[in-house]
Amino acid sequence: MKVIELKSLSKIYNPDTIPVRAINDVSLSVEEGEFTAIVGPSGCGKTTLLNMIGGLDARSEGSVEVGGVSIQDMSESQLTTFRMQHIGFVFQAYNLIPVLTAKENIEFIMVLQNMDAKTMQERSDDLLDRMGIKDQRDRRPSELSGGQQQRVAVARALASRPKFVLADEPTANLDSGSTEALLDIMAKLNEEENITFIFSTHDQRVIDRAKRVITLEDGVIVSDEHR
Amino acid sequence: MILSLAWKNIWRSKRRSFVVMSAVAIGVWSIIFMVSFYNSMMGAISRNSLQHDYSHIQIHHEGYLSDPGLDFQVKNPSKLLEFPSQISDIKAASGRLIVNGMVASPKTNLGIQVYAIDPADEAAVTDLPSFLIAGDYFTNIKRNPILLSQKLAEKLKVKVRSKVVITVQDLEANIRAGAFRVSGIFHSKSPRINNGVVYLRDQDLSKLINSTDTSFNEFAFLLKDNESLIQTKKKMEMKTKNLVRTYREIAPEFDMIEEGSAISKQVITVIVMLALLFGIINTMLMAVLERTKEIGMLRAIGMFKRKIFLMIVLETFMISLVSAPVGLMAGFLTNVYFEKNGGMDLSQYAGALEQYGGDAIFYPEIAQSTYFFLMLVVIMTALMGAIYPAIKAVNLKPLEAIRKV
Ligand SMILES: Nc1ncnc2c1ncn2[C@@H]1O[C@H](COP(=O)(O)OP(=O)(O)OP(=O)(O)O)[C@@H](O)[C@H]1O
Ligand SMILES: [Mg+2]
């Protein structure tokens, strides 16, 4: 099943002044259960592409379909709902809520979804367990290592049962040990639960573990390799 | 969750929250202090001129207002003087024959109003004897005793037992002069009386103007309390054809004082609240800008704008909810302190206060409703202060979050 379908997608920054074609006529589809890395030199348009897929940035040309629904014509509040229900975000800088504990951070998105307390409780416990951070559940982000924080972030992304997880350079701030640990978890979730991951990266170790590697250069796909 | 998140957010920057909370608390406290002080001052001025000058109700002949003097005396004075025994809300009554005249000493002469009174009745109504600072109340001098205010005595350079000459016009417009001896020197709480009223016994004035059947042209009535003012006035009107007026009708300054002090209190409140408003806007704006990334992330993961808005408003609301009661409590305790410890002594500045008929010692006065009102005002101010920062927060782009550190 196709989760993402991009058709002739382009993004032009500053169309009125000095136009920058950050993404240029990209067509691409992602199937459920993929473990896909988007790679390429700095400035090639990885972040721009992920933002458009995640409904955080508007496309200039072409179309973005997620789960068979085009998102380009959605209103702002429709997009908010869409992001809340269908997309799990993992950010390079973790971006957890500093005043909440690990567990509360995971539950926060389920609160936004109005999930009932019991399901929420079970789900956050389960996720904490699978991420291997059960013992850190009551700690705040500032009391966690970068690797642990990023695992909380992945747990938060999964908590809402999204169609896929978007991660923009999730390991860029992590040391190699934490990177490996996080990749193990992500790969396992992908293998065992068929969760779709799309992430951008510079990191060769991450690229090595991806099942599909899409290489961008100057906003254009130059290679698309399934392994 | 949003509630608890908002609460936790307040404590992120403890110092900043503490500063704005203290500002709110101090602001509230200062309003209570100033309002209490003001009430006390204005209350004293009103009370003093009510109790020691105008009394609650006065009766005059209809014609007296346009032609004050001896011509319009009230007929059958004993009937009016019996009111205290007939109408239960009336405590005391005093008749006065008021006439303009001059008082002269070897040094100088001054224009004054002569109040010819029955000493006992006047004492019961205005408490005149309590203001004596020298001499006594008409008893030490056998023939023609007179009471002068300290102010007049100083101007005339006279002491107790000194002789002064009173000059008035009689009913036929003849000038009559008589020698009086100072029985007592008083210092009233009413500036009006201090500035130009002298007291004689009614029979002495009658003799001076050579009239056998004098009555009074003014009757002052002291009530047991202010509540029954209108009712009592109505009862009195049933019993007499003369003009019955309450102190509010006689002296519009009572209303002016009340209105003026209401306005002053509003101005104080508005000024303090404006200062707080800007403090709150500033603080919350800082809190929002500091969290740009986080708010962007919240938007990115699917938190609705209205919930972000609500979160910021709640934070502001909670700040005021925590700090306003502290200020109210502090204000309340300050008032209790002054009540318990004999008031705030401002005798140093008593001169200025007395000019306006105030008291030197302040007993803070504040209506209980003021506390509730203030709480409401603070909450409204906080909510107003929250709006702009909350709009700022809502308009942050979710994209911000996904950008690199
Ligand atoms: N808001 C913007 N306004 C104008 N140009 C932009 C904006 N954001 C990105 N760009 C430009 O678009 C191009 C693609 O940027 P993008 O951030 O997507 O690259 P990237 O592949 O994510 O780079 P990196 O690996 O450094 O994160 C770059 O040339 C960048 O300068
Ligand atoms: Mg990037």
Side-chain angles (χ1 to χ4, degrees):
Chain A
M1 200 187 99
K2 265 187 203 141
V3 250
I4 299 167
E5 169 105 65
L6 310 178
K7 287 180 190 155
S8 308
L9 186 66
S10 295
K11 174 73 189 182
I12 303 160
Y13 285 115
N14 312 326
D16 304 327
T17 52
I18 317 148
V20 181
R21 235 170 216 284
I23 291 294
N24 194 358
D25 197 21
V26 165
S27 294
L28 169 72
S29 63
V30 177
E31 295 289 326
E32 191 174 2
E34 281 191 13
F35 197 64
T36 298
I38 295 174
V39 304
S42 186
C44 70
K46 305 181 291 292
T47 298
T48 306
L49 185 63
L50 290 184
N51 284 347
M52 284 191 292
I53 296 172
L56 290 171
D57 206 355
R59 59 105 178 80
S60 304
E61 290 157 11
S63 68
V64 182
E65 269 181 31
V66 174
V69 182
S70 339
I71 64 165
Q72 59 261 16
D73 302 320
M74 284 185 178
S75 71
E76 199 179 63
S77 80
Q78 283 172 322
L79 272 175
T80 305
T81 313
F82 164 81
R83 290 196 298 265
M84 173 178 77
Q85 288 177 339
H86 303 305
I87 307 181
F89 287 96
V90 176
F91 308 103
Q92 178 184 338
Y94 327 132
N95 286 325
L96 299 173
I97 302 168
V99 292
L100 300 183
T101 63
K103 186 168 151 57
E104 288 167 339
N105 261 287
I106 296 169
E107 287 176 353
F108 189 76
I109 188 141
M110 297 190 271
V111 172
L112 294 183
Q113 291 181 322
N114 291 322
M115 210 177 270
D116 67 276
K118 191 162 160 282
T119 324
M120 192 159 83
Q121 186 80 23
E122 283 170 9
R123 191 151 177 77
S124 63
D125 283 342
D126 176 50
L127 282 165
L128 282 162
D129 199 13
R130 277 193 282 164
M131 297 296 147
I133 42 174
K134 213 174 173 181
D135 298 339
Q136 284 80 32
R137 50 185 288 175
D138 292 325
R139 294 208 197 155
R140 295 191 174 190
S142 59
E143 299 158 341
L144 296 171
S145 74
Q148 289 167 335
Q149 286 187 59
Q150 200 59 307
R151 277 186 265 165
V152 175
V154 172
R156 174 179 69 186
L158 291 172
S160 63
R161 299 185 184 277
K163 289 202 167 70
F164 56 91
V165 175
L166 281 182
D168 194 15
E169 313 215 22
T171 61
N173 290 4
L174 300 183
D175 60 36
S176 54
S178 304
T179 300
E180 286 299 331
L182 188 73
L183 280 169
D184 288 342
I185 289 170
M186 285 166 55
K188 195 165 161 238
L189 287 163
N190 175 257
E191 290 283 321
E192 293 175 2
E193 297 182 37
N194 208 33
I195 288 167
T196 313
F197 281 92
I198 303 153
F199 46 88
S200 71
T201 187
H202 278 115
D203 190 335
Q204 193 54 47
R205 286 162 308 184
V206 182
I207 299 170
D208 290 343
R209 309 240 342 216
K211 292 200 280 191
R212 179 184 180 188
V213 180
I214 297 169
T215 312
L216 280 182
E217 246 170 56
D218 289 334
V220 177
I221 296 178
V222 291
S223 84
D224 186 352
E225 180 192 349
H226 287 264
R227 297 192 282 210
Chain B
M1 188 73 151
I2 290 190
L3 212 69
S4 95
L5 182 60
W7 176 249
K8 286 171 181 162
N9 279 334
I10 294 177
W11 303 109
R12 287 173 102 147
S13 173
K14 289 201 179 63
R15 187 193 302 192
R16 194 174 55 213
S17 295
F18 184 76
V19 167
V20 69
M21 285 178 176
S22 317
V24 170
I26 291 171
V28 168
W29 173 83
S30 67
I31 291 175
I32 291 186
F33 184 76
M34 286 190 276
V35 167
S36 305
F37 187 83
Y38 208 84
N39 282 345
S40 164
M41 186 160 78
M42 291 306 164
I45 291 175
S46 296
R47 254 194 320 275
N48 287 340
S49 87
L50 172 63
Q51 286 178 357
H52 307 302
D53 187 353
Y54 292 102
S55 307
H56 292 97
I57 291 177
Q58 291 185 4
I59 292 181
H60 300 91
H61 188 286
E62 295 277 357
Y64 180 81
L65 293 194
S66 49
D67 181 15
L70 298 176
D71 292 343
F72 291 101
Q73 296 180 32
V74 173
K75 291 190 186 72
N76 204 354
S78 55
K79 192 182 147 199
L80 297 186
L81 292 172
E82 271 161 20
F83 278 180
S85 56
Q86 292 168 352
I87 300 171
S88 63
D89 288 316
I90 302 177
K91 204 171 165 185
S94 174
R96 301 158 182 162
L97 186 57
I98 301 175
V99 56
N100 287 327
M102 296 258 281
V103 57
S105 72
K107 283 279 168 217
T108 184
N109 49 24
L110 300 165
I112 39 96
Q113 275 193 309
V114 174
Y115 274 42
I117 52 162
D118 176 89
D121 285 353
E122 186 66 22
V125 172
T126 59
D127 208 10
L128 184 57
S130 70
F131 299 120
L132 284 173
I133 51 175
D136 71 17
Y137 195 58
F138 294 108
T139 50
N140 52 349
I141 310 285
K142 289 267 156 350
R143 236 179 75 85
N144 282 354
I146 183 171
L147 296 188
L148 291 178
S149 75
Q150 186 184 24
K151 202 164 171 180
L152 290 181
E154 274 166 12
K155 280 190 192 161
L156 294 165
K157 299 215 162 60
V158 294
K159 294 201 280 275
V160 175
R161 304 198 158 275
S162 299
K163 209 196 256 178
V164 293
V165 173
I166 295 290
T167 312
V168 295
Q169 280 189 341
D170 68 13
L171 283 157
E172 282 83 42
N174 302 315
I175 306 286
R176 303 273 185 172
F180 287 78
R181 220 175 258 285
V182 178
S183 158
I185 293 175
F186 64 85
H187 185 67
S188 163
K189 285 191 173 175
S190 160
R192 190 185 71 86
I193 289 174
N194 283 334
N195 286 336
V197 172
V198 303
Y199 291 94
L200 311 179
R201 293 184 305 198
D202 50 357
Q203 69 265 31
D204 297 338
L205 183 68
S206 298
K207 246 182 276 164
L208 181 64
I209 60 175
N210 205 12
S211 156
T212 43
D213 65 334
T214 53
S215 166
F216 296 111
N217 53 13
E218 175 170 297
F219 290 81
F221 296 87
L222 182 69
L223 302 195
K224 287 180 182 145
D225 62 61
N226 212 357
E227 312 292 293
S228 57
L229 186 68
I230 303 297
Q231 252 177 292
T232 310
K233 181 195 170 192
K234 285 195 181 125
K235 283 185 200 163
M236 291 165 88
E237 277 172 334
M238 311 270 277
K239 288 177 178 280
T240 173
K241 288 204 173 64
N242 290 295
L243 182 65
V244 182
R245 290 180 306 160
T246 67
Y247 65 95
R248 287 185 175 277
E249 292 163 317
I250 300 164
E253 64 246 41
F254 283 101
D255 286 336
M256 268 160 58
I257 286 178
E258 223 155 75
E259 264 167 46
S261 73
I263 292 171
S264 307
K265 285 184 269 184
Q266 280 161 13
V267 168
I268 291 171
T269 309
V270 167
I271 289 173
V272 174
M273 285 301 145
L274 270 182
L276 288 185
L277 180 68
F278 286 107
I280 289 171
I281 292 179
N282 196 36
T283 307
M284 291 315 292
L285 213 51
M286 251 155 75
V288 166
L289 295 183
E290 209 173 67
R291 273 188 272 158
T292 308
K293 263 194 152 34
E294 186 182 325
I295 291 167
M297 176 278 291
L298 291 172
R299 293 279 296 122
I301 67 170
M303 188 160 169
F304 279 104
K305 280 186 167 188
R306 57 167 186 275
K307 287 200 175 163
I308 305 262
F309 193 91
L310 185 69
M311 180 175 78
I312 302 297
V313 169
L314 273 175
E315 285 176 30
T316 324
F317 180 69
M318 284 170 173
I319 285 178
S320 69
L321 215 57
V322 168
S323 48
V326 174
L328 293 177
M329 199 63 207
F332 175 74
L333 292 177
T334 309
N335 284 358
V336 168
Y337 172 84
F338 280 120
E339 257 160 52
K340 288 248 163 76
N341 292 278
M344 195 189 321
D345 191 350
L346 290 184
S347 355
Q348 274 169 283
Y349 314 101
L353 290 166
E354 272 181 9
Q355 265 190 3
Y356 301 102
D359 281 341
I361 293 180
F362 285 81
Y363 286 93
E365 281 169 36
I366 197 159
Q368 225 141 60
S369 60
T370 309
Y371 290 103
F372 297 103
F373 170 75
L374 270 182
M375 188 72 214
L376 213 74
V377 168
V378 171
I379 287 173
M380 301 245 289
T381 306
L383 294 184
M384 259 157 60
I387 291 173
Y388 179 64
I391 289 175
K392 275 267 178 211
V394 159
N395 287 337
L396 288 174
K397 292 278 172 292
L399 215 54
E400 297 293 325
I402 222 159
R403 297 223 180 280
K404 288 178 191 170
V405 194

